Amino acid sequence: MALSKEQLLDMYRMLVKIRTFEERVGEIYYEGKLPAFDIAAGPIPGEMHLYTGQEAVATGVCAHLRPDDPVTSTHRPHGHLIAKGVDLKAMMAEIFGKKTGLCKGKGGHMHLFDPTLHFGCGGIVGGGIPHAVGAALAIKKRGEDRVAVSFFGEGAANIGAFHESLNLAAIWNLPVVFVVEDNLYAISVPKSKSTAVRSNAERGVAYGIPGVQVDGQDVIAVYEAAGEAIDRARRGGGPSIIEAICYRFRGHFEGDAEKYLPPGEKEKWRQKDPIHILGNQLKQQGWLSDEEAAAIQDEMTALVREAEMFARESPYPAPEEALEDVFVNL
Amino acid sequence: MAERLLTTSKAIAEAIAQEMERDERVFVMGEDVGAYGGIFGATEGLLEKFGPERVMDTPISEMGFIGAGVGAAIEGMRPVVELMFVDFFGAAMDQIYNHMAKIHYMSGGRVNVPMVLMTAIGGGYSDAAQHSQCLYGLFAHVPGLKIVVPSTPYDAKGLMIQAIRDEDPVMYFFHKGVMGLGWMTPNPRATGPVPEEPYTVPFGQAAVRREGTDLTILTLSLMVHRSLDAAEKLAEEGISAEVIDLRTLVPLDRETIVESVKKTHRVMIVDEDYKSFGMSGELATIVVEEALDYLDAPPKRLAVPDTPIPYSRPMEQFVIPSVDRIAEAARELVTS
């Protein structure tokens, strides 16, 4: 499947968009928190899990998705939601805890919901996997051609919800694609200490579904594997699992001292930056000049700055709004 | 024309069937809900009527299929999911309390989860510690879940139809002893008049099952039946007990509770759930907060005394409130 110049440039722009958003959030996050790190202080309080380094996975998968294709994500959700096409202003405002945010300030960075994009995520590892199965069940019952995608980390592949979900999806032949982002660590515990299986794609065999492992730093490889799986699901061919090997450039969360990393490992992976990989390919093709790359970066910086200004200037919710939205009607 | 009588289990199955006919988004899934008809009969006859696409037997994967119910509800379906015994919630609690209950709130009210999770509760037939609990208090403690606990066939149908039509997640607890099953100790109150046409019973409206003047008994589910039997005995002794069936814990009908206590000046809570940190403590607190000046005696509680449910008959009958002990506690309360 040969990708056109436009398709490749669109993916390049998405990689840069996610990276720019994440790096700016990473800067803002430390405002007011230093010198003695105070997690509750600053304009963005709480935990912060950034997607920097893994952008090719969200980008390559979501390039195949329509706004009405359901996606479930994780505690590291920004990349998936941006790749799905979210309004950055509403997303940033939610991360700031503002009234104008996607969830009116009730969700925050780990609990972002956008029903217009059929997107949900959450802070419980593996918690979203059964939801994607249920979404796919709804799709199949209605005879629609939508596809559900569940993103989760390799750590989640050891929780019961993962195994129950693959089994249910298989026996009901559902239009769902499970995307394991193997970023090598579940917080600090490496994959080798949490599973005896080399590739989580092999776990598909246990449930009778196809599985494939890809280089998650190479957006074209992700795009091709995801295209096959998503097309199969859309045509009624049932579920599959993709494991994308990728890397977190900023650790598990902001403030992670990364004591568990072998010396030199991150520097080695930095050489496999997904933006550089695709950028170099585009330049070799003559489809992207340095000036054009700089212009794309400027455009994304401006977009993220606009979202940041919107978030900063937006009002906080009134304290008593905490009492609303527990039920639709009570 | 004579009133039509149904058991509670048949009333529940009829409610689900009528909603499935009315609304094609409604479907059922759970363990043994198909050909078996549900271990307690709540889905009997549905497979024959609606087929396996809408009445789905699941593998033993409570986390998976309850979570799938959440996902399907978010995508616009109306799942009715059965958790065979409430005691099995442990295998699925994350999906119930972190997702089903919270997604509407976490999304700032933008995502609805209109699903029903129905489950069997209660003991009294020597099924012991892992198949006999009630636990509605535990789920009522978690914000975001509506808690429905019917005691009569009429309510069972109307509350189930309301639950399916409700936009919020509902947990629907049916006591095995109120279902009218042929293999349980016969319970005449488990069969009653049920209109054929669909109807709803609104949430948050308690029912005064028996009017009285000397004390108020606040209760629900099978304990309504036992409290009514106890009230009959007490009446023979000249004690007039008012029996209130709460019907739903969330929302809770505080007004009916408080009004009754203001009339009788004495209150007893009869609960088949564990005593500490649960429904009985919550109700006693509400009465104290809102009607303290009307009380002639402290609220009295009769509940499972903070032990797991034992197997052997004499021990089990000791921990679960009985008609005799409800009557005895009522006598103590009115003479205190």
Side-chain angles (χ1 to χ4, degrees):
Chain A
M1 164 171 34
L3 283 153
S4 69
K5 177 183 172 185
E6 285 68 32
Q7 286 174 309
L8 288 170
L9 279 173
D10 280 348
M11 290 203 292
Y12 180 81
R13 292 163 54 83
M14 184 57 74
L15 296 173
V16 176
K17 188 177 187 180
I18 297 170
R19 173 71 55 88
T20 306
F21 186 92
E22 294 296 70
E23 292 300 287
R24 184 59 192 146
V25 169
E27 288 170 4
I28 300 166
Y29 182 73
Y30 290 95
E31 282 180 23
K33 287 192 178 59
L34 300 173
F37 184 80
D38 176 356
I39 191 170
I44 302 179
E47 290 180 52
M48 180 53 64
H49 315 79
L50 295 173
Y51 196 65
T52 301
Q54 301 182 210
E55 296 90 344
V57 186
T59 300
V61 172
C62 293
H64 298 279
L65 297 181
R66 309 190 307 230
D68 64 350
D69 288 325
V71 167
T72 71
S73 173
T74 69
H75 58 286
R76 197 184 304 285
H78 301 174
H80 308 129
L81 184 49
I82 294 170
K84 196 81 196 332
V86 73
D87 169 24
L88 290 188
K89 292 201 290 292
M91 180 178 173
M92 188 72 96
E94 184 60 31
I95 294 168
F96 273 67
K98 295 299 182 75
K99 187 181 171 68
T100 53
L102 280 174
C103 311
K104 301 190 291 191
K106 290 199 169 82
H109 131 79
M110 274 191 280
H111 318 97
L112 298 164
F113 293 86
D114 188 341
T116 67
L117 296 172
H118 297 254
F119 181 94
C121 62
I124 307 293
V125 169
I129 310 174
H131 304 168
V133 170
L137 182 61
I139 290 166
K140 187 175 182 191
K141 283 182 178 300
R142 293 209 185 96
E144 298 165 343
D145 70 343
R146 298 189 292 147
V147 174
V149 171
S150 187
F151 291 98
F152 49 92
E154 90 290 346
N158 300 310
I159 202 166
F162 165 84
H163 297 274
E164 294 187 14
S165 294
L166 263 65
N167 188 49
L168 291 177
I171 57 174
W172 295 334
N173 195 40
L174 298 179
V176 56
V177 176
F178 303 101
V179 180
V180 188
E181 294 185 274
D182 176 7
N183 59 18
L184 312 193
Y185 297 94
I187 303 187
S188 66
V189 177
K191 190 181 187 179
S192 60
K193 284 189 181 171
S194 56
T195 175
V197 177
R198 246 176 350 115
S199 161
N200 282 307
E202 292 171 7
R203 285 177 149 162
V205 175
Y207 303 101
I209 69 173
V212 60
Q213 193 182 56
V214 296
D215 179 352
Q217 304 299 104
D218 178 355
V219 71
I220 296 174
V222 174
Y223 179 90
E224 287 175 350
E228 195 179 323
I230 291 168
D231 288 348
R232 176 165 50 233
R234 237 187 255 293
R235 285 185 282 103
S240 39
I241 181 168
I242 298 168
E243 180 164 74
I245 307 296
C246 52
Y247 201 77
R248 315 173 304 210
F249 286 178
R250 301 181 68 111
H252 168 64
F253 52 13
E254 293 306 296
D256 183 355
E258 300 183 281
K259 290 183 295 189
Y260 49 87
L261 286 189
E265 181 183 273
K266 189 188 276 188
E267 292 66 31
K268 194 187 81 186
W269 278 90
R270 283 272 186 195
Q271 303 306 309
K272 291 194 63 179
D273 187 318
I275 296 177
H276 297 162
I277 292 174
L278 180 60
N280 288 340
Q281 286 170 314
L282 285 166
K283 284 171 188 172
Q284 281 164 16
Q285 293 271 3
W287 289 347
L288 181 72
S289 65
D290 288 344
E291 293 73 27
E292 285 163 334
I296 289 170
Q297 180 61 68
D298 288 347
E299 180 194 348
M300 296 309 166
T301 301
L303 264 180
V304 169
R305 181 57 61 119
E306 184 189 18
E308 177 188 337
M309 287 304 121
F310 175 79
R312 286 189 191 275
E313 288 161 13
S314 289
Y316 280 107
E320 57 272 21
E321 285 178 47
L323 305 178
E324 298 169 4
D325 300 321
V326 180
F327 293 100
V328 181
N329 300 296
L330 189 66
Chain B
M1 199 174 85
E3 283 183 307
R4 186 185 62 144
L5 300 178
L6 282 188
T7 61
T8 301
S9 70
K10 287 192 164 37
I12 294 172
E14 180 172 278
I16 298 170
Q18 288 178 344
E19 286 304 286
M20 290 179 77
E21 280 161 12
R22 188 185 68 82
D23 184 347
E24 62 182 18
R25 299 172 301 171
V26 179
F27 71 100
V28 176
M29 64 176 162
E31 292 154 6
D32 305 291
V33 298
Y36 196 106
I39 299 301
F40 306 102
T43 58
E44 200 171 304
L46 298 182
L47 177 70
E48 293 78 358
K49 216 173 267 176
F50 299 101
E53 298 293 315
R54 295 185 73 193
V55 183
M56 305 172 66
D57 276 328
T58 63
I60 302 169
S61 304
E62 287 86 357
M63 170 92 82
F65 69 75
I66 292 174
V70 172
I74 290 171
E75 283 299 322
M77 301 298 287
R78 296 268 166 170
V80 178
V81 183
E82 180 166 287
L83 174 65
M84 189 187 292
F85 289 74
V86 74
D87 312 72
F88 304 167
F89 82 91
M93 191 58 172
D94 176 55
Q95 285 300 327
I96 299 169
Y97 89 120
N98 265 326
H99 303 278
M100 180 178 159
K102 292 179 186 165
I103 282 176
H104 179 70
Y105 186 82
M106 293 193 299
S107 72
R110 295 184 70 197
V111 177
N112 292 358
V113 188
M115 77 182 266
V116 179
L117 181 58
M118 65 175 174
T119 188
I121 62 171
Y125 62 103
S126 286
D127 222 359
Q130 297 174 339
H131 290 75
S132 301
Q133 300 169 94
C134 283
L135 300 181
Y136 37 70
L138 192 153
F139 294 95
H141 181 68
V142 177
L145 299 171
K146 288 181 177 169
I147 302 297
V148 176
V149 198
S151 73
T152 70
Y154 179 91
D155 280 5
K157 178 173 174 179
L159 289 168
M160 177 54 83
I161 291 178
Q162 175 61 37
I164 294 170
R165 294 181 187 179
D166 207 273
E167 292 298 328
D168 287 304
V170 176
M171 285 192 72
Y172 183 104
F173 298 80
F174 53 76
H175 195 297
K176 291 155 248 174
V178 310
M179 292 294 265
L181 302 168
W183 46 281
M184 289 267 168
T185 306
N187 172 358
R189 296 186 198 275
T191 303
V194 178
E196 289 199 34
E197 69 276 10
Y199 60 92
T200 58
V201 170
F203 293 169
Q205 290 186 14
V208 179
R209 295 296 181 199
R210 178 187 178 111
E211 292 197 23
T213 54
D214 296 332
L215 80 156
T216 297
I217 298 177
L218 301 176
T219 188
L220 77 183
S221 192
L222 181 68
M223 290 299 127
V224 173
H225 304 190
R226 293 199 177 164
S227 297
L228 288 170
D229 290 344
E232 276 175 35
K233 285 190 174 200
L234 292 164
E236 291 164 13
E237 304 164 22
I239 297 172
S240 169
E242 180 147 302
V243 179
I244 293 181
D245 179 355
L246 298 166
R247 301 206 278 196
T248 64
L249 289 182
V250 181
L252 181 66
D253 183 355
R254 290 165 171 255
E255 194 180 327
T256 297
I257 294 169
V258 171
E259 287 310 307
S260 176
V261 173
K262 284 181 177 176
K263 180 177 76 175
T264 64
H265 307 292
R266 285 182 163 81
V267 63
M268 177 162 83
I269 299 130
V270 179
D271 186 7
E272 197 185 321
D273 209 343
Y274 303 122
K275 185 171 183 181
S276 296
F277 307 100
M279 181 189 94
S280 64
E282 181 65 26
L283 295 178
T285 304
I286 288 170
V287 169
V288 167
E289 283 175 341
E290 300 188 23
L292 179 62
D293 294 344
Y294 293 86
L295 286 178
D296 290 343
K300 195 169 187 68
R301 298 195 276 161
L302 197 57
V304 174
D306 297 336
T307 64
I309 307 297
Y311 162 68
S312 180
R313 192 175 296 122
M315 288 194 290
E316 187 189 27
Q317 311 269 321
F318 174 75
V319 302
I320 296 176
S322 64
V323 174
D324 285 344
R325 272 183 305 113
I326 295 168
E328 184 53 37
R331 282 183 208 107
E332 287 171 18
L333 180 61
V334 295
T335 55
S336 65

